[in-house]
Structures are given as structure tokens and as C-alpha cells.
Amino acid sequence: AGLAAGGLGAMVGSPADLSLIRMQSDSLLPLERRRNYKSVFDALTRILKDEGAGGLFTGVGPTVVRAMALNMGMLASNDQFKEILKRRGVGEQATTIGSAMLAGFVASGCSLPFDFVKTRMQKMEKGPDGKYPYKSPMDCAMQTLKNEGPLKFYTGFPTYCVRIAPHVALTLVFLDALKTAEGKIGL
């Protein structure tokens, strides 16, 4: 259920994510290649006009896989860390918070390679030959692995972890609090 929820949510949000990536990377392009989007709505409208409905979902595959990897890393590791901390005699509240924080770190490590590919796919532009540099997310991953090595997928890990881990930790702490509250009222 956690994988499906993450995947479906990412699919629905993919056009907005694409707009964000394109708007953020626009200032890094040479002046003649900038898109100069005025807003997220302008970006969505122009992507739809220039690239068709399918263009709104550029990078949707890696976006969905990234969300699923994040949820897998978050949910599976949280349960494991809870077991480990409980066995070591750590208190209930510290176990909840500690396992959630550790799960945030694991979720970051599980999802960053997919985020890296997703971002490259969403930012790519046609070259002078009129072709995109990557044919698919798998092609992007394989070219990156071959030309730049496996650690390239973890470029920016500290920043990514600082962004993702608190989100994961708070989600898990609130989920645990919700379960506790439901138990107290008999749900």
C-alpha cells in the first residue's frame, strides 16, 4: 500500500514537479535557450502547447520509482530500527523519534539515485543534432553509470538528506501519534 500510494501521488504531481525543475534550471541556461516561464501555470500551459499532453509527464517513470523507493526505504527501515531500539531498551518516545530519523537517512539513500535520473530527464534539452541526450530513464542511468561512475547518482546527498530526512521523520512520528490516538479511542 505504501509503494502504491507513493507512486500514485508522484504520478498525479508529476506535471507540477516538472514545472518546478524547469523553472529552477532555467536561470542556468544561456540566455538564448531560456524558457522564461512567468509562473507555474505559464510553465504548464507552454509545456502542454509545445510538447503536448505527454510532455507534462516527462520524467514520470523515474518520478514514480523515486517515490516508491522513498516509501520503501522509509517504511521498511522504520520498522527495523524500532525493533533494534526496543531490544536495546530505548524508551518508547525515543524509539519513535530515533527510528523515524534513521529511516529518513535510509529513505534518502534509497531514493536519491532515482531523483538524480528524474531530474536529468526533466532538465534535458535537444542537442544541436535535434535529439535528446537520453532515450529513456534506463538509458540515462546506464550512460551516467558508464561515463561518470556509480557515485555520481549520490551527488548532493548531504543536501538531499537535509531536505528529505526531516520530511520522512515528521511523517513517521505523526503516523505513530495518529495510531496511538486511534488506539486510545478504540479505532
Side-chain angles (χ1 to χ4, degrees):
L3 289 177
L8 287 172
M11 190 181 316
V12 170
S14 188
D17 186 50
L18 173 65
S19 297
L20 173 69
I21 295 294
R22 294 236 181 126
M23 289 174 75
Q24 287 176 333
S25 65
D26 204 43
S27 65
L28 304 174
L29 296 172
L31 287 173
E32 68 276 1
R33 291 183 29 219
R34 290 186 185 173
R35 296 176 178 105
N36 297 314
Y37 297 128
K38 294 175 183 78
S39 68
V40 68
F41 300 109
D42 179 48
L44 290 168
T45 303
R46 287 177 44 200
I47 291 168
L48 183 60
K49 180 183 167 214
D50 297 343
E51 302 173 41
L56 291 171
F57 293 92
T58 299
V60 71
T63 300
V64 168
V65 173
R66 173 207 167 270
M68 294 171 72
L70 190 140
N71 280 10
M72 179 205 61
M74 170 177 76
L75 297 171
S77 67
N78 185 54
D79 289 341
Q80 289 299 305
F81 287 129
K82 274 186 177 180
E83 287 179 23
I84 292 167
L85 293 174
K86 282 180 185 176
R87 274 196 308 252
R88 293 187 177 267
V90 176
E92 187 176 334
Q93 192 172 24
T95 293
T96 299
I97 294 169
S99 64
M101 291 172 67
L102 291 166
F105 181 81
V106 171
S108 298
C110 289
S111 63
L112 181 56
F114 300 105
D115 189 78
F116 180 88
V117 170
K118 170 193 82 73
T119 301
R120 279 209 169 167
M121 293 296 295
Q122 290 175 327
K123 286 173 61 174
M124 72 177 172
E125 293 184 342
K126 290 181 180 177
D129 61 357
K131 295 180 181 178
Y132 286 111
Y134 309 113
K135 295 178 181 97
S136 67
M138 184 60 78
D139 181 49
C140 176
M142 295 310 292
Q143 283 191 48
T144 301
L145 184 62
K146 178 183 171 189
N147 299 327
E148 301 174 73
L151 293 180
K152 185 66 178 177
F153 294 106
Y154 288 94
T155 299
F157 180 77
T159 303
Y160 186 76
C161 191
V162 167
R163 183 180 127 219
I164 297 297
H167 164 78
V168 167
L170 289 171
T171 298
L172 292 170
V173 167
F174 287 133
L175 179 63
D176 201 66
L178 187 61
K179 287 179 185 177
T180 301
E182 285 176 339
K184 288 181 180 178
I185 61 171
L187 292 177

